[in-house]
């Protein structure tokens, strides 16, 4: 069957808060947008799982205070310009996109003002929330706005395979002599038809989330495999801070593929971490105790587990003064399903891979080093998070940079900065690399087991040069074998995901090896 070939003003790969904000910003300027989601609906990613909230502006708060908190949490590895921009322009983007356009029903006080909460690392209460299902509420509002917009065409069950670039993919020799490369869209696998679609776009936006699922324990959605970083690297775009992976200190310790998140807001409201003997241990590790930045809390928990030989620690919610069923209904009901009454029973928790602080390097408008390619959200590296993300700044960054990128693309389209049509026409449709039908689910499962165990044990919360060197060699061999297998086998979503995840793991390990300075999420222990 012939493959579909589509031409659009903008292609947004990923439909979480950043991708949705970007698509809405472009579409509001009268431009056509194709929005891709890997799942059956556009809320397939991490945003819907977010519990805590999104940074806004608290009483007696200032941009300077927020800057200070972000820089401290990020170990001053941050881009000060990016942090300053976020602190100053972030609240306005939240109001425009989430409050006014998506009409997210954030919690309010009896007097009508927003009920702002506080999380670890924040000096004041400045976080908007919808109980403990903030991400779900945000995605519900964004989904409604996207579906009602005539200029946004959402395509589901689509997995981006590779970015289309002018120098790599053109069939015309004249275009290969160009001095500069540019992104012209992407090859996209349609899970429903089994075809690879050629989507040509004047501008392409990567917004497909992080890479948490390359680790054994993760709070991330199944689609978060580092695909944006893999495709960008293959296309020649610059990456930055790839080694910085934030592990959330408190994920529910229970048998499941995705660790259920226990929001940091619980500790912000007063919950205590206890070891197996019922002792509160965090004050021994940091003067901020349970409200210390996430990297410190995660390492403290791991140290405590190593010291006691236990499998988990416990979160005691009894010090929280609020009604737990009302303030944290999602967590309350999830624990109730498992036989835990969090009013009386402590919650067993362990750290899990949660957020990628690095990724595809971009400027304040989301522009990458490859012309016509933008990156927003968790897959990008804006410099805001530095070596460790401050709680609830990710949704804020996604909204702001999504809006910034959308506005930038709309301006460039208004100025007629379209891709050359003859160049677009010179790009061929996808050609299958091979016809050897040798895809084996058992082998794919084994390869994923190797990737996730290797990353967890050798490139996880605590790293050493020896562990990283072993991981690099293991991932190098696996990537070489997968590349050869990939050339001989018809494409499928399972193979695309495996290739992207393996490639992302290899890049991360190499980046961690190159950074010999122990800082933030990249905690390098001497051998």
């Amino acid at each position: 069957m012939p493959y579909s070939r589509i031409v659009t003003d903008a292609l947004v790969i990923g439909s979480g808060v950043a991708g949705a904000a970007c698509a809405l910003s472009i579409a509001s300027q009268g431009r056509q947008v194709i929005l891709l989601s890997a799942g059956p609906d556009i809320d397939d990613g991490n945003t819907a799982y977010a519990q805590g909230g999104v940074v806004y502006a608290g009483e007696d708060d200032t941009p300077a205070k927020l800057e200070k908190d972000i820089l401290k949490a990020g170990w001053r590895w941050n881009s000060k310009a990016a942090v300053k921009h976020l602190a100053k322009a972030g609240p306005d983007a939240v109001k425009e996109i989430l409050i006014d356009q998506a009409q997210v029903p954030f919690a309010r006080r009896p007097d009508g003002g927003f009920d702002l909460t506080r999380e670890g690392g924040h000096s004041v209460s400045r976080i908007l929330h919808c109980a403990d299902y903030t991400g779900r509420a945000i995605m519900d509002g964004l989904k409604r706005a996207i579906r009602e917009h005539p200029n946004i065409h959402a395509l589901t069950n689509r997995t981006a395979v590779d970015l289309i670039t002018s120098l790599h993919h053109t069939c015309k020799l004249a275009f290969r002599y160009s001095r500069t490369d540019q992104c012209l869209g992407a090859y996209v696998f349609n899970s429903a038809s089994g075809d690879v679609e050629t989507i040509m776009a004047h501008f392409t936006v990567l917004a497909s989330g992080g890479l948490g699922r390359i680790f054994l324990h993760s709070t991330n959605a199944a689609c978060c495999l580092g695909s944006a970083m893999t495709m960008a690297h293959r296309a020649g775009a610059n990456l930055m801070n790839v080694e910085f992976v934030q592990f959330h200190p408190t994920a529910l310790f229970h048998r499941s593929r995705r660790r259920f998140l226990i929001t940091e807001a619980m500790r912000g409201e007063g919950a205590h971490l206890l070891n197996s003997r019922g002792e509160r241990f965090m004050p021994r590790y940091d003067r901020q105790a349970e409200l210390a930045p996430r990297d410190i809390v995660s390492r403290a928990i791991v140290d405590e587990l190593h010291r006691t030989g236990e499998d988990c620690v416990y979160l005691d919610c009894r010090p929280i003064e609020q009604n737990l069923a009302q303030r944290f209904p999602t967590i309350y009901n999830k624990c109730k399903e498992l036989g835990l009454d969090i009013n009386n029973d402590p919650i067993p928790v362990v750290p899990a891979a949660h957020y990628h602080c690095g990724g595809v390097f971009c400027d304040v408008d989301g522009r990458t080093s490859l012309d016509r390619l933008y990156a927003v959200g968790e897959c990008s590296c804006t410099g805001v998070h530095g070596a460790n993300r401050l709680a609830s700044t990710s949704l804020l960054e996604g909204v702001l940079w999504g809006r910034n990128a959308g506005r930038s693309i709309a301006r460039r389209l208004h100025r007629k900065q379209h891709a050359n049509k003859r160049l677009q026409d010179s790009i061929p449709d996808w050609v299958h690399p091979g016809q050897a039908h040798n895809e084996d689910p058992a082998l794919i499962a084994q390869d994923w087991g190797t990737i996730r165990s290797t990353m967890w044990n050798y490139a996880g919360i605590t790293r050493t040069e020896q562990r990283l060197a072993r991981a690099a060699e293991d991932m190098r061999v696996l990537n070489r074998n997968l590349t050869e297998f990939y050339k001989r086998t018809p494409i499928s979503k399972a193979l695309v995901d495996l290739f992207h995840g393996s490639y992302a793991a290899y890049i991360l390990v190499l980046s961690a090896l190159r950074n010999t300075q122990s800082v933030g999420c990249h905690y390098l222990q001497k051998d």
Side-chain angles (χ1 to χ4, degrees), residues 84 155 170 187 233 258 264 312 322 342 348 355 378-379 383 402 411:
K84 185 177 291 293
L155 301 180
T170 181
Y187 291 118
H233 189 265
R258 184 184 75 84
E264 188 166 351
C312 65
Q322 299 185 48
I342 64 174
Y355 190 86
E378 188 175 351
C379 72
R411 285 195 302 269

Side-chain angles (χ1 to χ4, degrees), residues 198-214:
T198 305
I199 302 183
M200 306 299 299
H202 297 300
F203 296 96
T204 302
V205 183
L206 293 171
S208 56
L211 46 65
R213 288 302 284 267
I214 68 173

Side-chain angles (χ1 to χ4, degrees), residues 166-210:
S166 56
L167 297 184
H168 185 206
H169 293 100
T170 181
C171 289
K172 298 291 186 182
L173 183 61
F175 290 121
R176 292 182 181 174
Y177 281 109
S178 173
R179 185 175 58 85
T180 58
D181 200 6
Q182 50 187 309
C183 183
L184 302 171
Y187 291 118
V188 177
F189 182 75
N190 183 334
S191 296
S193 68
D195 293 335
V196 177
E197 301 162 337
T198 305
I199 302 183
M200 306 299 299
H202 297 300
F203 296 96
T204 302
V205 183
L206 293 171
S208 56

Side-chain angles (χ1 to χ4, degrees), residues 151-356:
N151 293 335
I152 301 177
H153 306 276
L155 301 180
T156 57
N157 293 310
R158 300 306 205 281
T159 300
V161 180
D162 224 351
L163 295 176
I164 297 171
T165 59
S166 56
L167 297 184
H168 185 206
H169 293 100
T170 181
C171 289
K172 298 291 186 182
L173 183 61
F175 290 121
R176 292 182 181 174
Y177 281 109
S178 173
R179 185 175 58 85
T180 58
D181 200 6
Q182 50 187 309
C183 183
L184 302 171
Y187 291 118
V188 177
F189 182 75
N190 183 334
S191 296
S193 68
D195 293 335
V196 177
E197 301 162 337
T198 305
I199 302 183
M200 306 299 299
H202 297 300
F203 296 96
T204 302
V205 183
L206 293 171
S208 56
L211 46 65
R213 288 302 284 267
I214 68 173
F215 289 89
L216 188 61
H217 303 294
S218 173
T219 63
N220 284 192
C223 60
C224 296
L225 304 169
S227 59
M229 192 173 72
T230 292
M231 292 187 292
H233 189 265
R234 284 168 51 81
N238 292 339
L239 309 179
M240 191 167 181
N241 292 349
V242 175
E243 66 270 28
F244 295 120
V245 180
Q246 186 182 75
F247 290 78
H248 198 286
T250 53
L252 180 63
F253 183 66
H254 184 260
R255 293 183 181 274
S256 63
R257 180 63 63 88
R258 184 184 75 84
R259 293 290 184 188
F260 183 80
L261 181 67
I262 304 298
T263 177
E264 188 166 351
M266 282 193 136
R267 285 177 283 129
E269 298 289 1
H272 293 161
L273 283 165
L274 309 177
N275 60 24
S276 57
R277 293 190 290 273
E279 302 167 341
R280 187 181 175 196
F281 59 86
M282 274 308 302
R284 297 202 309 268
Y285 292 91
D286 192 275
R287 63 180 181 83
Q288 298 178 83
E290 283 82 5
L291 293 181
R294 290 177 176 178
D295 58 325
I296 294 175
V297 179
S298 293
R299 287 198 299 272
I301 291 174
V302 170
D303 288 347
E304 198 70 14
L305 294 179
H306 287 165
R307 191 175 67 83
T308 63
E310 299 292 336
D311 293 325
C312 65
V313 295
Y314 299 89
L315 189 68
D316 183 7
C317 302
R318 289 175 297 179
I320 298 177
E321 296 180 357
Q322 299 185 48
N323 184 301
L324 295 176
Q326 293 178 1
R327 177 62 180 88
F328 302 104
T330 306
I331 296 172
Y332 182 88
N333 291 325
K334 179 67 175 180
C335 290
K336 186 177 180 180
E337 290 176 13
L338 303 176
L340 292 173
D341 175 9
I342 64 174
N343 288 305
N344 301 301
D345 303 325
I347 305 172
V349 294
V350 291
H354 184 58
Y355 190 86
H356 190 207

Side-chain angles (χ1 to χ4, degrees), residues 81-97:
V83 173
K84 185 177 291 293
H85 175 68
L86 181 88
K88 184 177 180 181
D92 178 67
V94 169
K95 185 178 187 305
E96 177 188 337
I97 303 293

